[in-house]
Amino acid sequence: MQTFFELSGPLCDRERSRFHIIPVPYEATVCFQKGTQYGPEAILAVSDQLEHFDEELLQPIPREGVYTWPPVESADMPEEEMARIERFLRGERFFADRRFPILLGGEHSITPPIVRVAAEHYPHLSVLQFDAHSDLRDHFTHGGKFSHASAMRRVLEVTPHLVQVGIRSFSEEDVVACPVQVENFVTPGMIEENADRALARILDRLTADVYITFDMDALDPSFAPGVGTPEPGGLAWRTATRILREVSAAKHVVGADVVETMPIAGNQLTEFVAARVVAKIISYNSKSGWDRK
C-alpha cells in the first residue's frame, strides 16, 4: 500500500505516529467535473517525491511519525458514508487520544462528520475553511442536505465558529440565510488589500481549538487546476501557507482534511500541491516544529 512520503519503519508505526493520513475516496454529490474520488490515491502517489525536510523550519517533517491508513470504504448513500466516517473516527479514537488525523478527499461533504466527532472532544471547536465556495446551501440538487455544496451549512449545525477564507463564489440563499457568515468572509481581495489585517481577522474569529478543512479550489487555478469547480482569482501558495503557519502558531489545531483534488491526465500539479499542503500542515503542527513563542 502506498504511504504518505513512502515512509517505512518506525516513522510510520501505527501506534507511535502522531499524524494519521486517512484516504476517503468518496464522490457522490459533485455537480460539475467528476474525478475527486481519485484524489486521495493521486496525492499519496506523488507524495514520495516530496522532500522530508521543511524549507522554512529547517528540520525534518515526519519526525513525530506519519501513519497512512487504508481507504475508508465508500457507501452508496450519502447518509451511510457520513455515518461510516463517524464510526471510523470514533472507533480509532483519534481525537480522544489527541492524535492528529488528516483526511484526504474525495469531495467536501466528508467534512461535517469529522467536525461532529472532533467537537465531542473539543466543545469550543472552531473550523477554518479554505475554499473558493461558501458551501452554505441548506440542500442542493446533488446530494440534498449531504451535498458538497452544503458542507459548511452542516458544520454550522455543530459549531457557530466557522471562518471562511478564499471565498469568491456564493449564492443569494447564502446572503439571506447566513448573513453573518457572508459578512465575515475573508476574500482573496481583502487579503490582497491588506494581508496583515485579514490575518488578524482570521485569528480573532477562531477559538483556541481549530479544525482545518482545505478545499484545493481555494487556491488560484494557476496553482491547482485539477479541481471539480475551479474559480478564478484564488489564493496564492505563499498566502495560503502563511495563514496555515500563523494559525498553527497561535492556535491548537486538532486535525485537518484536504479535499476536492481532481487528477488531470498528464498534469500532476494539483495533487503535488495538495501533498505539499498536507506536508505543511504536519510541519507547522509538529510539537517540535513551529516555534509558538
Coordinates of all heavy atoms in Angstrom, one line a residue, residues 32-104:
F32 N -20.2 19.3 -11.0 CA -19.6 19.8 -12.3 C -18.6 18.7 -12.8 O -19.0 17.7 -13.2 CB -18.9 21.1 -12.0 CG -18.3 21.8 -13.3 CD1 -19.0 21.7 -14.5 CD2 -17.2 22.6 -13.2 CE1 -18.5 22.3 -15.6 CE2 -16.7 23.2 -14.4 CZ -17.3 23.0 -15.6
Q33 N -17.3 18.9 -12.7 CA -16.3 17.9 -13.1 C -16.1 16.8 -12.1 O -16.0 17.1 -10.9 CB -15.0 18.6 -13.4 CG -15.1 19.7 -14.5 CD -13.8 20.3 -14.8 OE1 -13.2 20.1 -15.9 NE2 -13.2 21.1 -13.9
K34 N -16.2 15.6 -12.6 CA -16.0 14.5 -11.7 C -14.6 13.9 -11.7 O -13.9 14.2 -12.6 CB -17.0 13.4 -12.0 CG -18.5 13.8 -11.9 CD -19.4 12.7 -12.2 CE -20.9 13.1 -12.1 NZ -21.2 13.7 -10.8
G35 N -14.2 13.2 -10.6 CA -12.9 12.6 -10.5 C -12.2 12.8 -9.2 O -11.1 12.3 -9.0
T36 N -12.9 13.5 -8.2 CA -12.3 13.7 -6.9 C -12.1 12.4 -6.1 O -11.3 12.3 -5.2 CB -13.2 14.7 -6.0 OG1 -14.5 14.1 -5.8 CG2 -13.3 16.0 -6.7
Q37 N -12.9 11.3 -6.5 CA -12.7 10.0 -5.9 C -11.3 9.5 -6.1 O -10.8 8.7 -5.3 CB -13.7 9.0 -6.4 CG -13.6 8.7 -7.9 CD -14.6 7.7 -8.3 OE1 -14.8 6.6 -7.7 NE2 -15.4 8.1 -9.4
Y38 N -10.6 10.0 -7.1 CA -9.2 9.5 -7.4 C -8.2 10.4 -6.8 O -7.0 10.2 -6.9 CB -9.0 9.5 -8.9 CG -10.0 8.7 -9.6 CD1 -10.9 9.2 -10.5 CD2 -10.1 7.3 -9.5 CE1 -11.9 8.5 -11.2 CE2 -11.0 6.5 -10.1 CZ -11.9 7.1 -11.0 OH -12.9 6.3 -11.6
G39 N -8.6 11.5 -6.1 CA -7.7 12.4 -5.5 C -6.8 11.8 -4.4 O -5.6 12.0 -4.4
P40 N -7.4 11.1 -3.4 CA -6.5 10.6 -2.4 C -5.4 9.7 -2.9 O -4.2 9.8 -2.5 CB -7.5 9.8 -1.5 CG -8.8 10.4 -1.7 CD -8.8 10.8 -3.2
E41 N -5.7 8.8 -3.8 CA -4.7 7.9 -4.4 C -3.6 8.7 -5.1 O -2.4 8.4 -5.0 CB -5.3 6.9 -5.3 CG -4.4 5.9 -5.9 CD -5.0 4.9 -6.9 OE1 -6.3 5.1 -7.1 OE2 -4.4 4.0 -7.4
A42 N -4.1 9.7 -5.8 CA -3.1 10.5 -6.6 C -2.2 11.3 -5.7 O -1.0 11.5 -5.9 CB -3.9 11.5 -7.5
I43 N -2.7 11.8 -4.6 CA -1.9 12.6 -3.6 C -0.9 11.7 -3.0 O 0.3 12.0 -2.9 CB -2.8 13.2 -2.5 CG1 -3.7 14.3 -3.1 CG2 -2.0 13.8 -1.4 CD1 -4.8 14.8 -2.2
L44 N -1.3 10.5 -2.6 CA -0.3 9.5 -2.0 C 0.7 9.1 -3.0 O 1.9 9.0 -2.7 CB -1.1 8.3 -1.5 CG -2.0 8.5 -0.3 CD1 -2.7 7.2 0.0 CD2 -1.2 9.0 0.9
A45 N 0.3 9.0 -4.3 CA 1.3 8.5 -5.3 C 2.4 9.5 -5.5 O 3.5 9.1 -5.8 CB 0.5 8.3 -6.6
V46 N 2.1 10.8 -5.4 CA 3.1 11.8 -5.7 C 3.9 12.2 -4.4 O 4.9 12.9 -4.5 CB 2.6 13.1 -6.3 CG1 1.9 12.8 -7.7 CG2 1.6 13.8 -5.4
S47 N 3.4 11.8 -3.3 CA 4.0 12.2 -2.0 C 5.4 11.7 -1.8 O 6.2 12.3 -1.0 CB 3.1 11.8 -0.8 OG 3.1 10.4 -0.6
D48 N 5.7 10.6 -2.5 CA 7.1 10.1 -2.4 C 8.1 11.0 -3.1 O 9.3 10.8 -3.0 CB 7.2 8.7 -3.0 CG 6.9 8.6 -4.5 OD1 6.5 9.6 -5.1 OD2 7.1 7.5 -5.1
Q49 N 7.6 12.0 -3.8 CA 8.5 13.0 -4.5 C 8.8 14.2 -3.6 O 9.6 15.1 -4.0 CB 7.9 13.5 -5.8 CG 7.8 12.3 -6.8 CD 9.1 11.7 -7.2 OE1 10.1 12.3 -7.5 NE2 9.1 10.3 -7.1
L50 N 8.1 14.3 -2.5 CA 8.3 15.4 -1.6 C 9.6 15.3 -0.8 O 10.0 14.2 -0.3 CB 7.2 15.6 -0.6 CG 5.8 15.8 -1.1 CD1 4.8 15.9 0.0 CD2 5.7 17.1 -2.0
E51 N 10.3 16.4 -0.5 CA 11.4 16.3 0.4 C 10.8 16.1 1.8 O 9.8 16.6 2.2 CB 12.2 17.7 0.4 CG 12.9 17.9 -0.9 CD 14.1 17.0 -1.0 OE1 14.5 16.3 -0.1 OE2 14.8 17.1 -2.1
H52 N 11.6 15.4 2.7 CA 11.2 15.1 4.0 C 11.7 16.2 5.0 O 11.7 16.0 6.2 CB 11.7 13.8 4.5 CG 11.1 12.6 3.8 ND1 11.3 11.3 4.2 CD2 10.3 12.6 2.7 CE1 10.6 10.5 3.3 NE2 10.0 11.3 2.4
F53 N 12.0 17.4 4.4 CA 12.7 18.4 5.1 C 11.9 19.7 4.8 O 11.7 20.1 3.7 CB 14.1 18.5 4.7 CG 15.0 19.4 5.6 CD1 15.4 18.9 6.9 CD2 15.3 20.7 5.3 CE1 16.2 19.7 7.7 CE2 16.1 21.5 6.1 CZ 16.6 21.0 7.3
D54 N 11.6 20.5 5.9 CA 10.8 21.7 5.7 C 11.8 22.9 5.4 O 12.7 23.1 6.2 CB 10.0 22.0 6.9 CG 9.0 23.2 6.6 OD1 9.5 24.3 6.7 OD2 7.8 22.9 6.4
E55 N 11.6 23.6 4.3 CA 12.5 24.6 3.9 C 12.3 25.9 4.7 O 13.2 26.7 4.7 CB 12.3 24.9 2.4 CG 11.1 25.8 2.0 CD 9.7 25.2 2.1 OE1 9.7 23.9 2.5 OE2 8.7 25.8 1.9
E56 N 11.2 26.0 5.4 CA 11.0 27.2 6.3 C 11.5 26.9 7.7 O 12.2 27.7 8.3 CB 9.5 27.5 6.4 CG 8.9 28.0 5.1 CD 7.4 28.3 5.3 OE1 6.6 27.3 5.2 OE2 7.0 29.4 5.6
L57 N 11.2 25.8 8.2 CA 11.6 25.4 9.6 C 12.9 24.8 9.7 O 13.5 24.7 10.8 CB 10.5 24.5 10.2 CG 9.1 25.0 10.2 CD1 8.2 24.0 10.9 CD2 8.9 26.4 10.8
L58 N 13.5 24.4 8.6 CA 14.8 23.8 8.5 C 15.0 22.6 9.5 O 15.9 22.5 10.2 CB 15.9 24.8 8.9 CG 16.0 26.1 8.0 CD1 17.0 27.0 8.4 CD2 16.2 25.6 6.5
Q59 N 14.0 21.7 9.3 CA 14.0 20.5 10.1 C 13.2 19.4 9.4 O 12.4 19.7 8.6 CB 13.5 20.7 11.5 CG 12.1 21.1 11.6 CD 11.7 21.5 13.0 OE1 12.5 21.8 13.8 NE2 10.4 21.4 13.3
P60 N 13.4 18.1 9.8 CA 12.6 17.0 9.2 C 11.1 17.2 9.5 O 10.8 17.6 10.5 CB 13.2 15.8 9.8 CG 14.6 16.2 10.3 CD 14.5 17.6 10.7
I61 N 10.3 16.8 8.5 CA 8.9 16.9 8.6 C 8.3 15.7 9.4 O 7.5 16.0 10.3 CB 8.2 17.1 7.2 CG1 8.7 18.4 6.6 CG2 6.7 17.1 7.4 CD1 8.3 18.5 5.1
P62 N 8.6 14.5 9.0 CA 7.8 13.4 9.7 C 8.4 12.9 11.0 O 8.3 11.7 11.3 CB 7.9 12.3 8.6 CG 9.3 12.5 8.0 CD 9.5 14.0 8.0
R63 N 9.1 13.8 11.8 CA 9.8 13.3 12.9 C 8.9 12.8 14.0 O 9.4 12.0 14.9 CB 10.6 14.5 13.5 CG 9.8 15.7 13.8 CD 10.7 17.0 14.0 NE 11.7 16.8 15.0 CZ 12.7 17.6 15.2 NH1 12.8 18.7 14.5 NH2 13.6 17.4 16.2
E64 N 7.6 13.1 14.0 CA 6.7 12.6 15.0 C 5.9 11.4 14.5 O 5.0 10.9 15.2 CB 5.7 13.7 15.5 CG 6.4 14.8 16.3 CD 5.4 15.8 16.9 OE1 5.0 16.6 16.1 OE2 5.1 15.7 18.1
G65 N 6.2 10.9 13.3 CA 5.6 9.8 12.8 C 4.3 10.1 11.9 O 3.5 11.0 12.3
V66 N 4.2 9.5 10.8 CA 3.1 9.7 9.9 C 2.6 8.3 9.4 O 3.3 7.7 8.6 CB 3.5 10.6 8.6 CG1 2.2 10.8 7.8 CG2 4.1 11.9 9.1
Y67 N 1.5 7.9 9.9 CA 0.9 6.6 9.5 C -0.2 6.8 8.5 O -1.0 7.7 8.6 CB 0.3 5.9 10.7 CG -0.3 4.5 10.4 CD1 0.5 3.4 10.1 CD2 -1.7 4.4 10.3 CE1 0.0 2.2 9.8 CE2 -2.2 3.1 10.0 CZ -1.4 2.1 9.8 OH -1.9 0.9 9.4
T68 N -0.2 6.0 7.4 CA -1.2 6.0 6.4 C -2.1 4.8 6.5 O -1.7 3.7 6.5 CB -0.5 6.0 5.0 OG1 0.4 7.1 4.9 CG2 -1.6 6.2 3.9
W69 N -3.4 5.1 6.6 CA -4.4 4.1 6.7 C -4.9 3.6 5.4 O -4.8 4.4 4.4 CB -5.6 4.6 7.5 CG -5.4 4.8 9.0 CD1 -4.7 5.9 9.5 CD2 -5.8 4.0 10.0 NE1 -4.7 5.7 10.9 CE2 -5.3 4.6 11.2 CE3 -6.5 2.8 10.1 CZ2 -5.6 4.0 12.5 CZ3 -6.7 2.2 11.3 CH2 -6.3 2.8 12.5
P70 N -5.5 2.4 5.3 CA -6.2 2.0 4.1 C -7.4 2.9 3.9 O -7.9 3.5 4.8 CB -6.7 0.6 4.4 CG -5.8 0.1 5.5 CD -5.5 1.3 6.3
P71 N -7.9 3.1 2.7 CA -9.0 4.0 2.4 C -10.3 3.6 3.2 O -10.6 2.4 3.4 CB -9.2 3.8 0.9 CG -7.9 3.3 0.4 CD -7.4 2.5 1.4
V72 N -11.0 4.6 3.6 CA -12.3 4.3 4.2 C -13.3 4.0 3.0 O -13.4 4.7 2.0 CB -12.9 5.6 4.9 CG1 -14.3 5.4 5.3 CG2 -12.0 6.0 6.0
E73 N -13.9 2.8 3.1 CA -14.7 2.3 2.1 C -15.9 3.2 1.8 O -16.6 3.7 2.7 CB -15.2 0.9 2.4 CG -16.0 0.2 1.3 CD -16.4 -1.2 1.6 OE1 -16.0 -1.7 2.7 OE2 -17.1 -1.8 0.8
S74 N -16.2 3.5 0.5 CA -17.3 4.4 0.2 C -18.6 3.7 0.2 O -18.7 2.5 -0.2 CB -17.1 5.0 -1.2 OG -15.9 5.8 -1.2
A75 N -19.7 4.4 0.6 CA -21.0 3.8 0.6 C -21.8 4.4 -0.5 O -21.5 5.4 -1.2 CB -21.7 4.2 2.0
D76 N -22.9 3.7 -0.9 CA -23.7 4.1 -2.0 C -24.6 5.4 -1.6 O -24.8 6.2 -2.5 CB -24.7 3.0 -2.4 CG -23.9 1.8 -3.0 OD1 -22.8 2.0 -3.6 OD2 -24.4 0.6 -2.9
M77 N -25.0 5.5 -0.4 CA -25.9 6.6 0.0 C -25.1 7.6 0.9 O -24.3 7.2 1.7 CB -27.0 6.0 0.9 CG -28.0 5.1 0.1 SD -28.7 5.9 -1.3 CE -29.8 7.1 -0.5
P78 N -25.3 8.9 0.6 CA -24.5 9.9 1.4 C -24.7 9.7 2.9 O -23.7 9.9 3.7 CB -25.1 11.2 0.9 CG -25.6 10.9 -0.4 CD -26.1 9.5 -0.4
E79 N -25.9 9.4 3.4 CA -26.1 9.3 4.8 C -25.2 8.2 5.4 O -24.6 8.3 6.5 CB -27.6 9.0 5.1 CG -28.5 10.0 4.7 CD -29.1 9.8 3.4 OE1 -28.4 9.3 2.5 OE2 -30.3 10.2 3.1
E80 N -25.1 7.0 4.7 CA -24.3 5.9 5.2 C -22.8 6.3 5.1 O -22.0 5.9 6.0 CB -24.6 4.7 4.3 CG -23.7 3.5 4.7 CD -23.8 3.1 6.1 OE1 -24.8 3.3 6.8 OE2 -22.8 2.5 6.6
E81 N -22.4 7.0 4.1 CA -21.0 7.4 4.0 C -20.6 8.3 5.2 O -19.6 8.1 5.9 CB -20.7 8.2 2.7 CG -19.3 8.7 2.6 CD -18.3 7.6 2.4 OE1 -18.7 6.4 2.2 OE2 -17.0 7.9 2.5
M82 N -21.5 9.3 5.6 CA -21.2 10.1 6.7 C -21.1 9.3 8.0 O -20.3 9.5 8.8 CB -22.3 11.2 6.8 CG -22.5 12.1 5.6 SD -20.9 12.9 4.9 CE -20.7 11.9 3.4
A83 N -22.0 8.4 8.1 CA -22.0 7.5 9.3 C -20.8 6.7 9.4 O -20.2 6.4 10.5 CB -23.3 6.6 9.3
R84 N -20.3 6.2 8.2 CA -19.1 5.4 8.2 C -17.9 6.2 8.7 O -17.0 5.7 9.4 CB -18.8 4.8 6.8 CG -19.7 3.7 6.4 CD -19.3 3.1 5.1 NE -20.2 2.0 4.6 CZ -20.0 1.3 3.6 NH1 -19.0 1.5 2.8 NH2 -20.9 0.3 3.2
I85 N -17.8 7.4 8.2 CA -16.7 8.2 8.6 C -16.7 8.5 10.1 O -15.7 8.4 10.8 CB -16.7 9.6 7.9 CG1 -16.5 9.4 6.4 CG2 -15.7 10.6 8.4 CD1 -16.7 10.6 5.5
E86 N -17.9 8.8 10.7 CA -18.0 9.0 12.1 C -17.6 7.7 12.9 O -16.9 7.8 13.9 CB -19.4 9.4 12.5 CG -19.8 10.8 12.0 CD -21.1 11.3 12.6 OE1 -21.4 10.9 13.8 OE2 -21.8 12.0 11.9
R87 N -18.1 6.6 12.4 CA -17.8 5.3 13.2 C -16.3 5.1 13.2 O -15.7 4.6 14.2 CB -18.6 4.2 12.5 CG -20.1 4.1 12.8 CD -20.6 2.7 12.5 NE -20.5 2.4 11.1 CZ -21.4 2.6 10.2 NH1 -22.5 3.3 10.5 NH2 -21.2 2.3 8.9
F88 N -15.7 5.3 12.0 CA -14.3 5.0 11.9 C -13.5 6.0 12.9 O -12.6 5.5 13.6 CB -13.8 5.3 10.5 CG -12.3 5.2 10.3 CD1 -11.6 4.0 10.3 CD2 -11.6 6.3 10.1 CE1 -10.3 3.9 10.2 CE2 -10.2 6.3 10.0 CZ -9.5 5.1 10.0
L89 N -13.8 7.2 12.9 CA -13.1 8.2 13.7 C -13.3 7.9 15.2 O -12.3 8.0 16.0 CB -13.5 9.6 13.4 CG -13.1 10.1 12.0 CD1 -13.7 11.5 11.7 CD2 -11.6 10.2 11.8
R90 N -14.5 7.6 15.5 CA -14.8 7.3 17.0 C -14.1 6.0 17.3 O -13.5 5.9 18.4 CB -16.3 7.2 17.2 CG -17.0 8.5 17.2 CD -18.4 8.3 17.8 NE -19.1 9.6 17.6 CZ -20.0 9.8 16.7 NH1 -20.3 8.9 15.8 NH2 -20.6 11.0 16.6
G91 N -14.2 5.0 16.5 CA -13.6 3.7 16.8 C -12.1 3.7 17.0 O -11.6 3.0 17.8
E92 N -11.4 4.5 16.2 CA -10.0 4.6 16.3 C -9.5 5.7 17.3 O -8.3 5.8 17.5 CB -9.3 4.9 14.9 CG -9.6 3.7 13.9 CD -9.0 2.4 14.4 OE1 -8.1 2.4 15.2 OE2 -9.5 1.3 13.9
R93 N -10.4 6.5 17.9 CA -10.2 7.4 19.0 C -9.1 8.4 18.6 O -8.3 8.8 19.5 CB -9.7 6.6 20.2 CG -10.8 5.7 20.7 CD -10.3 4.9 22.0 NE -9.8 5.8 23.0 CZ -10.5 6.4 23.9 NH1 -11.8 6.2 23.9 NH2 -10.0 7.2 24.8
F94 N -9.1 8.9 17.4 CA -8.1 9.9 17.0 C -8.1 11.1 17.9 O -7.1 11.6 18.5 CB -8.3 10.3 15.6 CG -8.0 9.2 14.6 CD1 -9.1 8.6 14.0 CD2 -6.7 8.8 14.3 CE1 -8.9 7.5 13.1 CE2 -6.5 7.7 13.4 CZ -7.6 7.1 12.8
F95 N -9.3 11.7 18.0 CA -9.4 13.0 18.8 C -9.4 12.7 20.3 O -8.8 13.4 21.1 CB -10.7 13.7 18.4 CG -10.8 14.1 17.0 CD1 -11.6 13.5 16.1 CD2 -10.0 15.1 16.6 CE1 -11.7 13.9 14.8 CE2 -10.0 15.6 15.2 CZ -10.8 15.0 14.3
A96 N -10.0 11.5 20.7 CA -9.9 11.2 22.1 C -8.5 11.0 22.6 O -8.2 11.3 23.8 CB -10.7 9.9 22.4
D97 N -7.7 10.4 21.8 CA -6.3 10.1 22.2 C -5.3 11.2 21.7 O -4.1 11.1 21.8 CB -5.8 8.8 21.6 CG -6.6 7.6 22.2 OD1 -7.2 7.8 23.3 OD2 -6.5 6.5 21.6
R98 N -5.9 12.4 21.3 CA -5.1 13.5 20.9 C -4.1 13.2 19.8 O -3.0 13.8 19.7 CB -4.3 14.1 22.1 CG -5.3 14.6 23.2 CD -6.2 15.7 22.7 NE -6.9 16.4 23.7 CZ -8.2 16.2 24.1 NH1 -8.9 15.3 23.5 NH2 -8.7 16.9 25.1
R99 N -4.5 12.3 18.9 CA -3.7 12.1 17.7 C -4.2 13.1 16.6 O -5.3 13.7 16.8 CB -3.8 10.7 17.2 CG -3.0 9.7 18.1 CD -3.2 8.3 17.6 NE -4.5 7.8 17.7 CZ -4.9 6.6 17.2 NH1 -4.1 5.9 16.5 NH2 -6.2 6.2 17.5
F100 N -3.5 13.3 15.5 CA -3.8 14.3 14.5 C -4.2 13.7 13.2 O -3.3 13.3 12.4 CB -2.6 15.2 14.4 CG -2.9 16.5 13.7 CD1 -2.7 17.7 14.4 CD2 -3.2 16.6 12.3 CE1 -3.0 19.0 13.8 CE2 -3.4 17.8 11.7 CZ -3.3 19.0 12.4
P101 N -5.5 13.5 13.0 CA -5.9 12.9 11.7 C -5.9 14.0 10.5 O -6.3 15.1 10.7 CB -7.4 12.5 12.0 CG -7.9 13.4 13.0 CD -6.6 13.8 13.8
I102 N -5.5 13.5 9.4 CA -5.6 14.3 8.2 C -6.3 13.5 7.1 O -5.7 12.5 6.6 CB -4.2 14.8 7.7 CG1 -3.4 15.5 8.8 CG2 -4.3 15.6 6.4 CD1 -2.0 15.9 8.4
L103 N -7.5 13.8 6.8 CA -8.3 13.0 5.8 C -8.1 13.6 4.4 O -8.2 14.8 4.2 CB -9.7 13.0 6.3 CG -10.0 12.2 7.5 CD1 -9.9 13.0 8.8 CD2 -11.4 11.5 7.5
L104 N -7.9 12.7 3.5 CA -7.8 13.1 2.1 C -9.0 12.8 1.3 O -9.4 11.6 1.2 CB -6.6 12.4 1.4 CG -5.2 12.5 2.2 CD1 -4.2 11.7 1.4 CD2 -4.8 13.9 2.3

